[in-house]
Structure formats: C-alpha cells, structure tokens
Amino acid sequence: MTSTTAALPAGNEIAQGPKPQRVSPARMGVYGFLIIAALFFLFPLYVMVVTSLKTMPEIRLGHLFNFPNIWTIQPWIDAWLHACTGLACNGLHPGFWNSVKITVPSVIVSIVIASINGYALSFWRYKFSNLFFLLLVFGAFVPYQVVIYPLIIALREIHLFATLPGIIIIHTIFGMPIMTILFRNYYASVPIELFKAARVDGAGFWQIFFRIMVPMSVPITVVAVILQVTGIWNDFLFGVVFAGRANWPMTVQLNNIVNSTTGVREYNVNMAATILTAAVPLIVYFVSGRWFVRGIAAGAVKG
C-alpha cells in the first residue's frame, strides 16, 4: 500500500507549482478598464481646477485643456468672499457655515437614533417590530418630492418652517430609514452569544448598548457618517424649501452664483465655487474610506 506521506515534500521543502503570470490578457483588461474609468471621472475635475486658476481673458481664448499661462488664486478668493449669491455679494462662506450648522446636528441625531433603532430591532424584538422594520424599508424608497408639501404644512403648524431646527428635523427624518437598516443589518451580524452572556450577567438595555454594541459599531458608524454627510451637505431641494433665506446651505448659494443672469459670467469663479462646495464630502470620504469598505463588508456578512 502506498503511503500518503510519500507525496508530501520532505523537510522544509515546499512543493512549487507554476508561477502566476505577471502580465496576462485578463489582468491587462482589468487595468485598462480601471485606467479608462479613472480618466473618465478625473478629466472633468482637471478642467475645473485649471479653469479656476486662469484669468478671464485667458479663458476667453478658448484653450480649455491648457495649463494657465498666468496662475492666479483670485477666483478662489472671490468665490469664498465676494461672489454674488443674489442681492448679497458675500461669497460662499456664509453658506458654508450654514451647511455646517445643518449637517453636524443632523448627522449626530440621525445616527444616534438609528443605532438605537437597529439595536432594538436586532436583539430586543417586540410586538409589531417586523411591521415597523418594513415601514422603515418602505420609507427609505419614498421619493422626497411626494411628501414635501405635507411636511411644509406640518412645519408651518408647529412654527418651524424656514428655520434651522426645521431643516435639521427634515434631514433627521429622511435619514432615519436607511440609517436604521444599516445598523440593524450590522447588529444582526454580531454573535447572539454576546447578547445572551450580557443578559445572564444582569445587563439591561442601555448597558448592553453602550458597553458592547457601541464599541463594536465604529466601522458601521463611519459608513453612516459618510453617507449622511454626503447626502446632507450636497442637498439642494430640502435646503431651498425648508431652511429659509437666512439658513440657505452652500449648495443653494452655489446655484445662485452659477445661474446669476446679471453682470459677466465668471467661469473661473464658478469652477472654484463648485470645488469649494464639493470639498467637504470628498475630504470626509478620503480620510475614512477604508472604514467605509470595512463597515459595508461587516454589515453584509452574517456571523
């Protein structure tokens, strides 16, 4: 009888098979597609950046893709401090601070409430909890435009229409369904034995949440922060309808700058204003991108 150990390598020797090819048609195809996709998305950004660093006489020459002959950051200064957003010519910086005042509390409140909802739906099942979850799933796919008018009436009745608390409430409400689904799916991947062990030790609802669930929720919390910051910061519809003129976010003021029909259309200032408006979500994503991938993967795998 042939021994099964005869085929194994002796000592510290390792059986070697054929090495994978460094260059193969499949790999070349994948890299080629990635390069084309990267150029497709980066090329408009390149045009925006170089245009924002040119003077208007140079832009009128029509050399859209050329580097600036005279580099200038004056369009960025004008976009931040002097561009007209209607009757006022104060630039984008008032809208920036309005966006901060809207985004920060909306993100915090919606994530805190959604994490508690997801925790309760995963471990503390109650009567009609499945129905409540189905309603949340349904709410995540309701078009915003359908409920704008009823929300206007409701906020008017409680005297919060066109106020900062009113727009924060709107973003919190509309962020709740998808955030709850994210946290519920993430907590569903947590081993139930942790919850049962804590219950045996006498821990209650809030003790388990703060001592076990919250420390384990960093990846999915980062995912939620990225999604909420991106959605709220880039929002235009809710901002122009519910915020009120004094609280208009950056996106509304950007629209007023770009679509102004008076004076000379300054394309360099428009490009600089657009990049400034998009800078915050981009920075948030690039800083925490690896946590985003980790959180999504963790919420998709059942443990």
Side-chain angles (χ1 to χ4, degrees):
M1 183 175 64
T2 304
S3 175
T4 56
T5 61
L8 297 176
N12 294 327
E13 296 179 1
I14 300 176
Q16 296 181 350
K19 294 183 178 180
Q21 298 181 0
R22 293 184 178 273
V23 179
S24 64
R27 180 171 295 184
M28 292 176 62
V30 170
Y31 284 121
F33 172 78
L34 292 176
I35 292 172
I36 293 173
L39 292 176
F40 179 80
F41 288 103
L42 291 176
F43 192 71
L45 180 61
Y46 163 78
V47 173
M48 292 172 61
V49 172
V50 297
T51 303
S52 69
L53 296 172
K54 294 178 180 178
T55 61
M56 280 304 299
E58 187 176 351
I59 292 175
R60 293 191 184 99
L61 296 176
H63 303 304
L64 183 64
F65 309 121
N66 293 354
F67 282 106
N69 293 324
I70 301 175
W71 295 77
T72 176
I73 61 170
Q74 188 60 42
W76 291 75
I77 298 174
D78 291 340
W80 186 251
L81 296 175
H82 307 302
C84 295
T85 59
L87 297 178
C89 294
N90 299 322
L92 281 174
H93 76 276
F96 172 82
W97 294 114
N98 288 339
S99 293
V100 170
K101 290 186 288 186
I102 293 171
T103 302
V104 172
S106 300
V107 170
I108 293 174
V109 174
S110 61
I111 289 178
V112 168
I113 297 176
S115 62
I116 296 173
N117 287 342
Y119 163 63
L121 289 171
S122 299
F123 296 104
W124 297 84
R125 297 296 180 88
Y126 50 89
K127 191 176 182 180
F128 303 121
S129 61
N130 290 331
L131 176 61
F132 177 71
F133 181 70
L134 289 176
L135 291 175
L136 285 173
V137 173
F138 174 76
F141 298 99
V142 173
Y144 296 166
Q145 297 82 354
V146 174
V147 294
I148 282 182
Y149 184 68
L151 287 173
I152 291 175
I153 302 300
L155 289 180
R156 184 196 65 186
E157 293 300 318
I158 61 176
H159 307 290
L160 288 178
F161 181 70
T163 64
L164 184 61
I167 184 64
I168 292 173
I169 291 173
I170 292 298
H171 281 303
T172 301
I173 291 173
F174 278 93
M176 195 65 57
I178 189 64
M179 293 296 104
T180 299
I181 293 171
L182 278 177
F183 277 97
R184 189 257 187 188
N185 290 342
Y186 181 82
Y187 290 141
S189 67
V190 175
I192 191 65
E193 289 76 15
L194 289 175
F195 174 76
K196 292 180 178 179
R199 291 291 291 151
V200 169
D201 290 339
F205 183 93
W206 295 111
Q207 288 178 311
I208 297 175
F209 178 70
F210 285 110
R211 295 187 178 183
I212 298 178
M213 299 302 164
V214 170
M216 298 176 60
S217 303
V218 173
I220 198 63
T221 301
V222 173
V223 173
V225 168
I226 293 174
L227 293 178
Q228 282 293 82
V229 168
T230 302
I232 296 172
W233 190 275
N234 292 335
D235 169 70
F236 173 82
L237 180 61
F238 289 157
V240 75
V241 173
F242 295 101
R245 185 179 297 272
N247 302 307
W248 272 349
M250 211 172 180
T251 49
V252 177
Q253 295 195 341
L254 172 65
N255 176 76
N256 293 341
I257 292 174
V258 173
N259 293 322
S260 175
T261 57
T262 59
V264 178
R265 190 177 292 273
E266 298 178 317
Y267 296 102
N268 49 1
V269 175
N270 293 347
M271 295 299 181
T274 304
I275 297 172
L276 287 170
T277 304
V280 170
L282 288 175
I283 292 172
V284 170
Y285 180 78
F286 283 127
V287 169
S288 54
R290 64 188 184 93
W291 290 97
F292 181 85
V293 176
R294 185 181 303 179
I296 289 293
V301 178
K302 299 296 182 181

